[in-house]
Amino acid sequence: MIEASNRLAILFMLAATAFIAATTLLAKALGTDALGPPLHPLQITFGRFLFAWIAIASFVAATRPKLIRPHIGLHIGRTLCGVVGVTLMFAAAAAIPLADATAISFLNPVFGMILAIPLLGEKVGKWRWLAAAIAFTGAVVLIRPGAGAMQFGALLALGAAMALGLELTFIKRLSGRERPVQILLLNNTLGLLVASLAVIAVWQTPTPAQWAGLAALGFAMAAAQACFVNSMARADASFVTPFSYLTLVFAAFYDLAIFGVVPTGLSLFGAGIIIAGAALLAWRESVNRAAPSKAG
């Protein structure tokens, strides 16, 4: 029987996946003509950080948690990678089916593993290399070499996964140093500053519907981050991580319900391969945490 804390962790992770998928749905609506003239991905990123910052800063002001001196260098590196990653992801969401973009984004822990070798000095064994090879095989299926616009959108999602994978290396170095609420506050504050500068060159006045969409996207991202942190705090990562793959289910459902996009058999096949590789990597990570002396 599942313990109460684990049940709550599952519910938080399910809520996080639903919110994350909702952000890509809103990015697609804002990046196409669903709510008005398409907004540039940088402007969507600006809205994401603006309204997420409002939500998180309001929480911090209300609860007044104890904050410590942050490691600014790590926060800046993490934020720059995050801004690039979400901008590319929002661009991909407007160009290809949400299920495909979401599936390719699951490569970010694979890139994080590979980048941790030179950046963090981690050792990677045969099992994790096998997981990476499986996941990349699925990515090749989804990228559809030679498929024109589909290939370009998939490459945007692949770039997002690479940037977010690099972000993971900064998150690993921050974990244990600072409280999650401080990390979220600084990440969104710095992200807002970077996005505010980047958006100047592409700014166009959003329609009222687009302002509402940007606000919903930012608040959904803040809610997703809060749910994810609460889930990870209540159960082992190896237990709750598999539930995060339901983001793909929510993304496909939203795309079908709102835009009428039906996932193709090839999309489902490629997504399944990526999830298999990511799941194998997550399992191996849990094994390595239990036996840190052995790298596998």
Side-chain angles (χ1 to χ4, degrees):
M1 187 174 180
I2 300 177
E3 296 179 1
S5 61
N6 284 344
R7 287 199 299 270
L8 192 56
I10 292 172
L11 291 175
F12 272 120
M13 184 58 76
L14 291 177
T17 61
F19 282 124
I20 291 171
T23 64
T24 58
L25 173 69
L26 289 163
K28 180 170 184 172
L30 292 161
T32 57
D33 58 1
L35 300 176
L39 296 180
H40 192 281
L42 285 172
Q43 190 161 357
I44 301 173
T45 297
F46 167 76
R48 170 258 182 268
F49 278 104
L50 171 63
F51 290 102
W53 179 85
I54 290 173
I56 294 170
S58 298
F59 174 80
V60 170
T63 59
R64 297 189 177 184
K66 183 179 179 180
L67 303 178
I68 63 173
R69 184 176 179 179
H71 193 302
I72 292 297
L74 292 180
H75 281 287
I76 291 175
R78 182 255 171 109
T79 298
L80 291 175
C81 292
V83 169
V84 172
V86 297
T87 301
L88 290 174
M89 186 63 184
F90 291 160
I96 61 177
L98 295 183
D100 287 7
T102 302
I104 294 173
S105 74
F106 288 146
L107 287 171
N108 77 79
V110 178
F111 282 116
M113 177 203 79
I114 294 172
L115 291 169
I117 298 172
L119 297 179
L120 302 180
E122 293 187 3
K123 295 181 179 179
V124 176
K126 60 183 179 181
W127 280 102
R128 288 194 283 178
W129 280 120
L130 175 61
I134 292 172
F136 280 122
T137 299
V140 171
V141 173
L142 289 180
I143 290 173
R144 295 168 173 77
M150 181 65 201
Q151 181 185 17
F152 177 71
L155 289 174
L156 289 174
L158 187 65
M162 291 178 64
L164 295 175
L166 181 56
E167 183 186 20
L168 284 178
T169 64
F170 288 101
I171 293 175
K172 284 183 178 181
R173 295 186 65 183
L174 280 170
S175 62
R177 293 172 178 253
E178 302 171 29
R179 295 180 62 187
V181 66
Q182 176 169 318
I183 293 174
L184 289 177
L185 177 63
L186 284 171
N187 171 241
N188 284 278
T189 300
L190 292 172
L192 178 57
L193 291 175
V194 173
S196 297
L197 294 175
V199 78
I200 294 174
V202 298
W203 178 265
Q204 67 184 66
T205 304
T207 66
Q210 287 173 330
W211 274 121
L214 290 169
L217 192 157
F219 292 143
M221 183 60 74
Q225 291 176 322
C227 289
F228 183 83
V229 167
N230 275 281
S231 177
M232 299 298 283
R234 286 168 170 77
D236 291 339
S238 59
F239 175 77
V240 295
T241 295
F243 293 96
S244 68
Y245 301 133
L246 289 173
T247 304
L248 182 63
V249 176
F250 282 111
F253 173 75
Y254 294 158
D255 216 11
L256 175 62
I258 305 300
F259 293 101
V261 177
V262 180
T264 65
L266 191 62
S267 292
L268 295 175
F269 179 61
I273 296 174
I274 290 177
I275 290 177
L280 177 59
L281 178 61
W283 167 76
R284 198 60 196 174
E285 291 286 355
S286 68
V287 170
N288 288 339
R289 280 193 295 270
S293 61
K294 297 180 180 180

